[in-house]
Amino acid sequence: MNATSTARVKVEAGGDQVVGHVGLHALGAFADRLGLGDALSAQIIAMHKRLPRHDRGKVLVHAMLMLAGGGECCVDIERLRIEPVLFGDVCSDSTLYRTLRSLDPRTVVAVKEAVAEVRETVWRRSAATKRGPVVLDLDGSLIDIHSENKEQTAPTYKGGFGFHPLACFADATGEMLAALLRPGNAGANAVADNLQVLDEGVAQLPATVRAGHGVGDDPGAVRRAVVARADSAGCTEGFVHGCRQRTIGFSVVARSNRQIHAAISRIAAKPRRWQPAITQDGDPREGAAVAEVTDLCDLSAWPSETRLIVRREPLHPGAQQTLFPSLDYRYWGFYTDQEGDPVELDRFMRAHAHVEDHIARLKDSGLQRFPFVSFEANCAWLAVVCFAADLVRWFQLLCLSGALAVAEPKGLRYRLWDAPGRVIRSARQTIVRVLSGWPDSDAILTAYRRLAAVT
């Protein structure tokens, strides 16, 4: 029996006619079909009289491919440079560095507007965006930076040091619509910051969805096709009134106070007030129950139609007792202006937990690294990280199916992006053949057929 883990081979330099990122080429071809590079180029004004060798829109798209493939800094662009058969003339790491440094705040805003136009094309084709209201999830995350030389880094409330970006996600697709880079000591419940990232997220929505949602719209409008969800950081009167002013619905996690204590104490021993809770799949949630206590609380300071709903579940080891002290149950609640059954609204609000998966995916795709000293340059880096994550999500929505359509970044790299192939030249064509026996070769070929239909 042979116990060796490798075959005996002789390794030499000088290999050619092979490529190692066929799936990543599919992602780049998808970006080209969407016109992403051209849209970005139109918004980046050349700073010199002589045109640059590398189109700046193409540079940013290559940066997105680099991030999707696991890159964490500008020098990782070299992974694409060694494969001109797939990616053409790729810029150097110094060119990428200079490009990101040249993106001032005004240019970043213009580039985001260009991405919004491309996003509208994707939303028009995707079935995931056709169901129910558009739900925007807001949340922040701490990013540790191991250098005190980067501008606007600061200590965090958890004892770390770095940045505290705030993000807005589209729940239906997992896209990171907007992100605001902030110092590490920035407050999670800062009303101005939460409303700013909400406004930027709404600005990324298609025009048909965005219409009627903005500062100055009729606050009495009944139709609220956009709903903002947030944890207790959004539980401020300033934020919820800001949502109402923008004709945006809200659901925010409640904070403990005397009024909620009194309301829960009055219904804790009344079984008729509680309804069995359900899971995200609609099955009964064992031991959990939901009750509405709007009639037991004074919500006059909140927008009209605001409701307060609480949930209890058996207290398990390590659970945080947030709203009401109890030896038997953990209580949790939220404020909302949405109509519907309290049990269904509880399930809707608990889906805010999706944001944790989105943030984890981003941290595996460049969010953990801010390679510049300049704060403006790091803001540009964050924007490109957002674009790269969204490009991957668009590709999954329109070109993939099954497990790959919801795969995490690591799974996509191992199964798709890093697929090897052999280069064949025949009849004045360059043909790339995926390695025979590659487990997901059918998915790659299917993705190429689907992206050919993207318009």
Side-chain angles (χ1 to χ4, degrees), residues 20-303:
H21 298 94
V22 178
L24 207 56
H25 174 269
L27 183 64
F30 175 70
D32 293 339
R33 292 290 298 183
L34 292 174
L36 183 58
D38 292 336
L40 298 177
S41 297
Q43 301 299 332
I44 302 176
I45 302 174
M47 302 300 294
H48 305 283
K49 295 181 180 179
R50 187 175 61 183
L51 291 176
R53 172 185 169 184
H54 297 279
D55 179 85
R56 291 318 189 217
K58 181 187 72 173
V59 169
L60 293 184
V61 173
H62 279 155
M64 296 176 207
L65 300 183
M66 176 264 292
L67 289 166
E72 296 181 332
C73 56
C74 294
V75 74
D76 290 332
I77 199 73
E78 298 295 332
R79 294 182 61 191
L80 305 185
R81 279 174 60 85
I82 63 173
E83 295 181 331
V85 171
L86 293 182
F87 305 107
D89 188 14
V90 179
C91 72
S92 65
D93 61 313
S94 57
T95 298
L96 176 59
Y97 179 88
R98 289 193 302 270
T99 300
L100 292 172
R101 289 269 301 177
S102 68
L103 298 181
D104 57 28
R106 181 177 300 179
T107 304
V108 170
V109 171
V111 168
K112 289 179 179 179
E113 292 174 355
V115 172
E117 295 178 3
V118 178
R119 191 187 310 277
E120 188 165 0
T121 300
V122 177
W123 279 49
R124 187 173 63 249
R125 297 185 61 88
S126 175
T129 60
K130 304 294 192 298
R131 300 186 294 268
V134 175
V135 181
L136 303 182
D137 286 309
L138 277 64
D139 201 8
S141 182
L142 299 178
I143 305 296
D144 288 330
I145 300 296
H146 304 286
S147 171
E148 60 184 12
N149 296 323
K150 298 183 186 294
E151 294 177 357
Q152 298 199 32
T153 49
T156 68
Y157 69 92
K158 287 190 176 181
F161 183 86
F163 293 119
H164 187 186
L166 187 63
C168 175
F169 297 91
D171 181 60
T173 61
E175 297 165 271
M176 189 176 187
L177 300 178
L180 179 64
L181 188 61
R182 307 183 302 163
N185 57 2
N189 58 349
V191 174
D193 290 348
N194 279 278
L195 290 178
Q196 178 181 340
V197 79
L198 177 61
D199 288 338
E200 292 183 8
V202 171
Q204 285 290 311
L205 299 177
T208 53
V209 179
R210 190 171 65 246
H213 299 92
V215 178
D217 291 326
D218 180 11
V222 177
R223 181 176 178 274
R224 287 187 278 275
V226 177
V227 181
R229 286 191 306 212
D231 57 18
S232 58
C235 186
T236 60
E237 293 179 13
F239 177 72
V240 295
H241 279 288
C243 290
R244 178 58 58 87
Q245 184 184 11
R246 291 159 172 79
T247 326
I248 294 175
F250 64 85
S251 288
V252 295
V253 176
R255 298 176 184 173
S256 179
N257 58 47
R258 294 181 179 179
Q259 200 172 196
I260 294 178
H261 280 201
I264 293 177
S265 65
R266 292 176 64 179
I267 67 169
K270 296 181 178 180
R272 293 184 179 180
R273 292 289 301 238
W274 297 92
Q275 304 176 57
I278 58 177
T279 66
Q280 293 297 304
D281 295 328
D283 300 323
R285 186 177 174 90
E286 185 177 355
V290 178
E292 182 167 356
V293 294
T294 305
D295 58 319
L296 302 178
C297 297
D298 178 14
L299 301 179
S300 58
W302 290 72

Side-chain angles (χ1 to χ4, degrees), residues 21 23-24 27 65-72 79 357-366 389 392-393 396 400 403-419 438 440:
H21 298 94
L24 207 56
L27 183 64
L65 300 183
M66 176 264 292
L67 289 166
E72 296 181 332
R79 294 182 61 191
D357 296 330
H358 302 330
I359 291 176
R361 177 165 45 84
L362 284 158
K363 286 185 174 181
D364 195 15
S365 304
V392 172
R393 286 299 300 136
Q396 289 180 291
L400 299 179
L404 284 174
V406 294
E408 297 295 321
K410 181 179 178 180
L412 288 172
R413 288 166 198 153
Y414 272 92
R415 299 179 59 181
L416 210 67
W417 306 147
D418 295 342
W438 187 260
D440 295 289

